[in-house]
Amino acid sequence: MSRPKGHGEIAAILLALLVASWLLTALVFAGDLAPPFKRALSATFGHHWIGKIVISYVVFFAVWLGGRAVIKERTLMSIRGWTWTTVLSMVLITVLMTLLYVGLHFAK
């Protein structure tokens, strides 16, 4: 059974989104829970958020471009599976970020 044309590209984009989103989440947690890391990002990029975004974008494009070459050759799972994995992941990231900032707010 063949996949519709373009599904490999979509899967590569969704994979890149997942990896970059989880990386950004990890960078946010690291920056807020480890001040030396936040200072290092600020010293390197001018502001810690600029550093987080630059790193996330670089990883996104690297995974996307690398994934395009690999995923188009293989059937990993349906596009519906990729979509639901991405949606659930984004919901979980939102919950984790909310818990982090609510926790930091009440820890003051």
Side-chain angles (χ1 to χ4, degrees):
M1 180 178 195
S2 66
R3 290 182 309 187
K5 190 172 184 168
H7 275 206
E9 180 76 17
I10 294 168
I13 291 170
L14 292 174
L15 177 62
L17 175 65
L18 284 168
V19 171
S21 297
W22 280 108
L23 174 63
L24 180 59
T25 302
L27 291 171
V28 168
F29 272 77
D32 285 328
L33 300 176
F37 179 71
K38 191 174 192 175
R39 285 192 297 274
L41 285 174
S42 293
T44 304
F45 294 97
H47 193 278
H48 62 97
W49 268 110
I50 293 172
K52 293 170 191 172
I53 296 301
V54 167
I55 293 167
S56 296
Y57 274 118
V58 167
V59 168
F60 173 84
F61 285 109
V63 171
W64 176 26
L65 295 175
R68 285 172 45 174
V70 174
I71 293 174
K72 74 178 179 182
E73 310 262 335
R74 296 182 173 85
T75 301
L76 297 177
M77 61 190 219
S78 71
I79 201 65
R80 178 176 284 163
W82 278 105
T83 302
W84 277 109
T85 300
T86 304
V87 168
L88 294 173
S89 192
M90 295 301 107
V91 169
L92 183 57
I93 287 171
T94 302
V95 169
L96 289 172
M97 295 283 236
T98 301
L99 291 173
L100 171 68
Y101 287 112
V102 167
L104 290 173
H105 174 75
F106 287 112
K108 291 182 181 181

